[in-house]
Each structure stands twice: as structure tokens, then as C-alpha cells.
Amino acid sequence: MHSDTVSPEELDKAVAGLPVQVWNAPTAAELYGQTLNLVCRTRGGRTAGAWVVPLDDHGTAARRPFRLLPYAAPWVDPELHPVDRHRAVLSMTRALMDRVASAELPMDPRFGEAAALAEAGAELLCRHTRVLELHPDRDPRTGYVATARNHIRAAARGHTVRAAPLDAFDFSRAVVGQPPDAVAARRRSGLHVGGVEPALCLAATDPDGTCRGQVFVLLCDGAAVLMHSWFDRAGARGVPSLLVDEAIAWAGRQPGTDLFDFEGSVLPGVDRFMAGFGARACAYPQLRWRRSAEPGPGAGEFG
């Protein structure tokens, strides 16, 4: 296994026809602008892995300046033997560490090669999301807590939920506590990725036609990811639950989609809200690493 950095055009050729996640597709390189594109190949020249790594403004740190896509884990050919999957991720991680001074990247719930990251010298922090498994023969509402079902019924009596154009989503209300450039970047990203990947905007309106909340959902890697949401706290009881319920129902109708990913929250109240839909906590690693200033024991570890 050997990993090289490639141009966006070379990346496009290397992953053509492969089921890479949206965050490892040429689209990701376009969205982030400055990326380190890694491709791991077998001795025979077959693409074994790909990793589009977002970089900071200086190009020296592997991190997302803004959360434009849900995760940033490498893609590895699922047909490889586990030994070769490990080798591919190890090769790409070492190539990454050779080219940047530090890294902080979220993996994803389906990433299973944490051992390779650790072997390369990264520190792994535990993060979690909430995921709801979607089954064609099972109504997901059977797993909702009574409070969630009650909120949905209450909101449905006074609100109508309809699909809306992606550009109708109000990113300024969904992305709070962030500078204007972050909001603008999220909007550009959402509209761009929504043009190349299946995405949905749902809006809940009251009888007067006033929008009381929206959700923005992206389909990627067999999951429907709740990327953004907002709701009007004044007189909108149950609207968040109603919107999520409608989004889950939509996701269940999409071929090849078997998970609804809430993308987690560090806020206990929001996390409990997600759990109320029967969504289980799913841990995934956050890669952290920084090159030591002085070589020696522990060099390469995040200190």
C-alpha cells in the first residue's frame, strides 16, 4: 500500500465509479477550497482508499474551518481484507502526518479502522451521534417515547409540513453563534452539495402561512443526515418533533438508506430530544494529532 497526494482532477479519476462518501468526493475538495487529497493504491495500482482532508487557511493544519460536511473520515475499499483495510488507513494517516503540522478531524459512525489511526500516533477522542435504524417492515414511530408522539400530534393540528426548495432554507436561523462568513459558507455548501447529492428541505407553516421551523437533510453513505434545523420557539410547540418525524418518514422511503443520523449534540437537552425518537448513541473517534516541536519519546502525539 502506498499513499500519494493528488490534484482534484486526479482524485476525480481515482474515485470514479467508487462508492466514496460525499466528504471524500471531488465535491468536498470544491466546497472546502483548500484540501489535501490522499489516494492509497495497491501494488497493482487499484484504488484502496481515498481521503479528502480539509485544511486551514494556512494549509498547515488538517481541520475543517467550517462544518460544511458531516464527517471527514477516509474511505476504504469495503472489499479489502481487514488486514489490507488497516494498512490502507495507516498508509494514508502517515502520509497526512508527513504533510501537516496538526490534525483534528471527525471520523464517522461507520468508520471501523480506529486501530490504524492509533498505530500512526494519533490521539482518539470519543464523540457520539444518535442514529435511528430504518427497516422497511417496521414503523419507526413504534420506538418513539410518548412525549415525542404527543408533540407530533399537537404540532400536526396547527401546522403543515411541506418540502421546500433548498435555497428557501434559512441558514441564518439554523447556524447560531457563528460569524457571518460561517453562515455564508454553510449556505454555499448546502446548496452546492444539494445539487449533486439527494437532499431535502422541509418547512412547517402555521395556518397564517408563517414558517415556524425547517430541517435540512442530506443523503450520504446510506444515511439520511440531519445537517441543519431551526424552529420558532414562540408558539411552535411540537414543531421540532413534527419536522424530524416527517424527515424520518422521507428517509425511510429512499432506496439504500438504512440510517437516520441526527449528527449528535453535546447539549444534554438536545441529546435527550434525539433519544426520544429511539435513536441510539453511536460512538465514533475524533482524530487529534500535533507534531512535536522537539523529536523524542512520544514525538508525533497530541500533547
Side-chain angles (χ1 to χ4, degrees), residues 130-300:
R130 289 275 176 180
V131 297
L132 177 65
E133 296 180 4
L134 304 174
H135 302 277
D137 57 347
R138 185 188 309 168
D139 183 353
R141 289 183 175 180
T142 59
Y144 295 5
V145 295
T147 301
R149 292 195 296 268
N150 291 338
H151 284 172
I152 292 167
R153 284 194 293 267
R157 286 195 291 267
H159 299 84
T160 301
V161 176
R162 293 191 178 93
L166 296 183
D167 60 5
F169 186 82
D170 193 342
F171 286 87
S172 65
R173 301 191 69 173
V175 184
V176 296
Q178 297 289 316
D181 56 344
V183 177
R186 297 278 189 96
R187 177 179 172 78
R188 288 195 303 271
S189 171
L191 298 183
H192 182 90
V193 76
V196 295
E197 301 287 341
L200 173 74
C201 171
L202 289 176
T205 56
D206 64 17
D208 295 328
T210 302
C211 184
R212 296 297 185 181
Q214 294 177 311
V215 293
F216 189 101
V217 184
L218 175 68
L219 290 189
C220 55
D221 196 28
V225 184
L226 182 61
M227 288 289 293
H228 303 288
S229 64
W230 69 268
F231 70 98
D232 187 350
R233 295 180 181 274
R237 178 176 178 268
V239 166
S241 297
L242 178 63
L243 283 166
V244 169
D245 177 63
E246 292 283 353
I248 290 172
W250 173 81
R253 296 191 295 268
Q254 307 311 304
T257 301
D258 57 13
L259 282 180
F260 188 88
D261 185 350
F262 285 82
E263 217 189 346
S265 176
V266 297
L267 301 176
V270 177
D271 188 67
R272 287 192 294 270
F273 168 79
M274 297 172 177
F277 292 89
R280 61 180 174 85
C282 182
Y284 63 89
Q286 172 110 348
L287 181 157
R288 294 184 70 193
W289 174 82
R290 183 174 62 214
R291 182 179 293 123
S292 299
E294 296 293 335

Side-chain angles (χ1 to χ4, degrees), residues 23-129:
W23 53 87
N24 284 313
T27 299
E30 295 173 13
L31 291 177
Y32 284 113
Q34 189 161 209
T35 58
L36 181 67
N37 308 315
L38 296 168
V39 172
C40 179
R41 294 183 175 91
T42 64
R43 289 183 179 178
R46 173 185 172 188
T47 300
W51 198 358
V52 176
V53 181
L55 300 174
D56 68 356
D57 292 339
H58 303 290
T60 58
R63 67 178 184 85
R64 301 181 299 175
F66 306 114
R67 184 185 66 85
L68 303 184
L69 293 167
Y71 303 107
W75 175 83
V76 191
D77 185 349
E79 296 183 4
L80 290 176
H81 187 280
V83 168
D84 290 326
R85 289 178 57 84
H86 179 96
R87 288 173 177 167
V89 174
L90 181 61
S91 173
M92 288 188 288
T93 305
R94 285 175 171 167
L96 170 67
M97 292 175 173
D98 285 343
R99 292 163 173 81
V100 299
S102 64
E104 181 145 8
L105 298 167
M107 300 296 99
D108 72 78
R110 301 191 187 212
F111 179 75
E113 305 302 325
L117 303 180
E119 183 176 337
E123 178 184 2
L124 305 181
L125 302 184
C126 183
R127 296 287 186 261
H128 84 278
T129 182

